[in-house]
Every structure is written in structure tokens, then in C-alpha cells.
């Protein structure tokens, strides 16, 4: 092979390598690789690697801002749902009005009320965090002022790869759990203020004061009104 041909081939190869490096390190390419990898970890339930990717920002410039916005969206949703799930499975909350719990914590219910109040604060904070990303338009507000192509990319990404098909159910779950905790707090406060109006007999809550029983039942009936 002639020297000139060899040089030409080498030059083409160098140009190809340089072009690939430029493409590989282009902010948009970096963004798309990072988000694709994140999605694969989320789908696989790989929390360790998901957390590693959520903690970093790889792309530069405006694509880096979009990457960060997508990751913040995923993080906010995951954290909110995690708090919801933990509280839903908290035995102290679920059993707060059980006969054994009432006997254990009577007459002032200080310990269980403290736990319920703390759980209420955690749930409210998680629900507020989830509400910030409940709709794509709300989640995109942090990108206002940027070129529309970046905003469109963010919206398409979170409503596509990272969509939450059970969003309505999650909203209902927040509402139901918040209503349950509020109800338990009110019920326990009522019992604490009227220790002689009730007792535990045969494993059940019994009332000796019908007026207090009506108040207790009214609080329980109002659980569905939480918004």
C-alpha cells in the first residue's frame, strides 16, 4: 500500500475517533445515556445504583439542568412513596385503637399520640413533596425561562420513561392514611379526656357514656372528609 494511501486512511481513522469522542461527550449524548441508565435501574428495582445516579449530574450546560430536573423528579416521587409505604406498614399506627393498645397506653395515651403526631408530620411533608411533582406541568416549573426544547424533553421524559401509572391510587393512599391518622389522634384525645366513659371488656372498647360514644362514632364517620 502506498504511503499516501496509508496516511489518508490513518487520517480518516483519526477523524472518526475525534468525531466519536465529540459525540460521546456532547452534553445531549451524555444526558441521554445517563437517563437511559437511570431508567433501567429504576425498572430493575436496583435501588443502590439508582441512588448513585440520582446523586450526580453528568451532562453540562442546559442538558445538565434537564438531567437534574428529571432526577429530582424521580427522587421526590421515590422518597414520597417510600414514606407513605413505611407509614402504611407501621404496626403502632395500624393498631392504635386496638384493645390491647388502648389498655397499654391508657389513660393519657402520651406515647402513642406522640408517635401519631410525628407520623402525621412525616406524611404531610411527603404528600407536599409528591404534590409538587404530581403533574408534569407542575414539575416543569423549575425549567421556566429555558428553550422550549429542553422543557419538552423534560415533560416527555417524566411522562414517558418515568410515568407513574398508579398516580391516582397514590393520591388516594395519601388521603386515606392522613384521614386515618387524624381520626386516631382525635379518638385518643377524646378517650384521654373522658377516662371514666369507656373501658375494655372482652377484648373490645365499651362505652358507659352514650354521649361520648356518639362523639367517638362521629369522628370515625368523618374520616372520609379529608382532602
Amino acid at each position: 500500500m502506498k504511503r499516501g494511501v496509508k496516511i489518508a486512511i490513518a487520517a480518516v481513522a483519526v477523524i472518526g475517533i475525534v468525531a466519536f469522542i465529540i459525540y460521546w461527550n456532547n452534553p445531549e449524548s451524555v444526558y441521554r445515556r445517563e437517563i437511559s441508565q437511570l431508567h433501567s435501574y429504576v425498572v430493575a428495582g436496583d435501588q443502590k445504583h439508582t441512588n448513585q445516579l440520582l446523586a450526580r449530574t453528568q451532562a453540562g450546560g442546559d442538558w445538565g439542568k434537564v438531567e437534574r430536573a428529571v432526577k429530582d423528579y424521580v427522587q421526590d416521587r421515590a422518597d414520597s412513596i417510600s414514606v407513605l409505604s413505611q407509614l402504611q406498614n407501621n404496626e403502632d399506627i395500624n393498631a392504635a385503637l386496638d384493645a390491647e393498645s388502648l389498655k397499654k397506653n391508657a389513660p393519657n395515651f402520651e406515647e402513642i399520640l406522640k408517635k401519631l403526631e410525628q407520623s402525621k408530620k412525616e406524611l404531610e411533608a411527603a404528600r407536599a413533596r409528591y404534590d409538587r411533582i404530581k403533574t408534569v406541568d407542575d414539575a416543569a416549573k423549575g425549567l421556566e425561562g429555558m428553550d422550549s426544547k429542553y422543557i419538552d424533553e423534560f415533560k416527555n421524559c417524566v411522562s414517558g420513561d418515568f410515568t407513574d401509572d398508579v398516580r391516582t391510587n397514590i393520591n388516594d393512599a395519601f388521603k386515606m392514611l392522613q384521614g386515618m391518622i387524624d381520626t386516631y389522634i382525635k379518638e385518643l384525645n377524646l378517650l384521654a379526656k373522658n377516662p371514666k366513659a369507656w373501658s375494655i371488656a372482652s377484648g373490645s372498647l365499651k362505652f358507659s357514656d352514650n354521649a361520648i360514644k356518639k362523639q367517638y362514632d362521629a369522628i370515625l364517620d368523618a374520616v372520609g372528609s379529608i382532602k
Side-chain angles (χ1 to χ4, degrees):
M1 185 179 293
K2 294 183 179 180
R3 179 178 176 82
V5 174
K6 291 181 179 180
I7 293 174
I9 293 174
V12 170
V14 169
I15 292 172
I17 293 171
V18 171
F20 175 78
I21 291 173
I22 292 174
Y23 164 78
W24 187 257
N25 293 292
N26 177 276
E28 181 177 357
S29 298
V30 173
Y31 160 82
R32 296 197 181 283
R33 286 200 308 275
E34 185 75 359
I35 296 303
S36 176
Q37 186 66 72
L38 175 62
H39 180 248
S40 68
Y41 287 147
V42 170
V43 170
D46 187 338
Q47 198 59 50
K48 177 182 176 181
H49 288 99
T50 294
N51 289 340
Q52 289 176 352
L53 264 63
L54 290 174
R56 72 189 191 188
T57 304
Q58 295 292 88
D62 288 337
W63 284 107
K65 294 178 181 178
V66 179
E67 177 191 340
R68 189 67 264 155
V70 171
K71 289 181 175 180
D72 286 346
Y73 175 94
V74 174
Q75 185 75 69
D76 281 345
R77 189 183 66 180
D79 288 349
S80 300
I81 295 174
S82 176
V83 171
L84 173 64
S85 179
Q86 290 173 18
L87 293 176
Q88 284 177 322
N89 294 307
N90 187 301
E91 288 301 321
D92 288 334
I93 294 176
N94 292 326
L97 294 183
D98 286 359
E100 287 302 314
S101 179
L102 292 177
K103 287 173 62 177
K104 174 185 175 182
N105 292 288
N108 297 321
F109 305 104
E110 292 177 355
E111 184 177 344
I112 187 61
L113 279 170
K114 184 177 180 180
K115 290 180 180 179
L116 287 170
E117 291 288 358
Q118 180 59 38
S119 296
K120 179 180 178 180
K121 290 179 181 179
E122 293 175 7
L123 184 66
E124 289 174 344
R127 188 179 184 185
R129 190 171 185 179
Y130 187 82
D131 282 345
R132 287 199 297 271
I133 53 90
K134 189 163 58 177
T135 67
V136 174
D137 287 337
D138 287 341
K141 287 182 179 177
L143 298 175
E144 287 180 350
M146 295 183 68
D147 189 285
S148 61
K149 76 174 183 179
Y150 299 110
I151 297 175
D152 290 343
E153 168 60 29
F154 171 79
K155 289 183 177 181
N156 290 335
C157 183
V158 299
S159 63
D161 288 344
F162 298 101
T163 190
D164 187 349
D165 295 329
V166 293
R167 184 169 294 143
T168 299
N169 291 337
I170 292 173
N171 288 329
D172 288 344
F174 271 115
K175 182 174 69 173
M176 290 174 64
L177 185 57
Q178 188 170 341
M180 186 180 81
I181 292 175
D182 284 343
T183 295
Y184 285 5
I185 290 173
K186 291 176 182 177
E187 300 283 38
L188 291 173
N189 279 322
L190 177 66
L191 296 179
K193 292 176 182 178
N194 301 277
K196 296 182 180 181
W198 62 277
S199 62
I200 300 297
S202 301
S204 299
L205 175 63
K206 306 292 184 181
F207 287 94
S208 56
D209 187 321
N210 196 50
I212 300 302
K213 182 182 186 303
K214 286 183 178 180
Q215 290 182 51
Y216 187 93
D217 292 341
I219 293 172
L220 195 61
D221 290 340
V223 67
S225 65
I226 188 70
K227 296 180 179 180

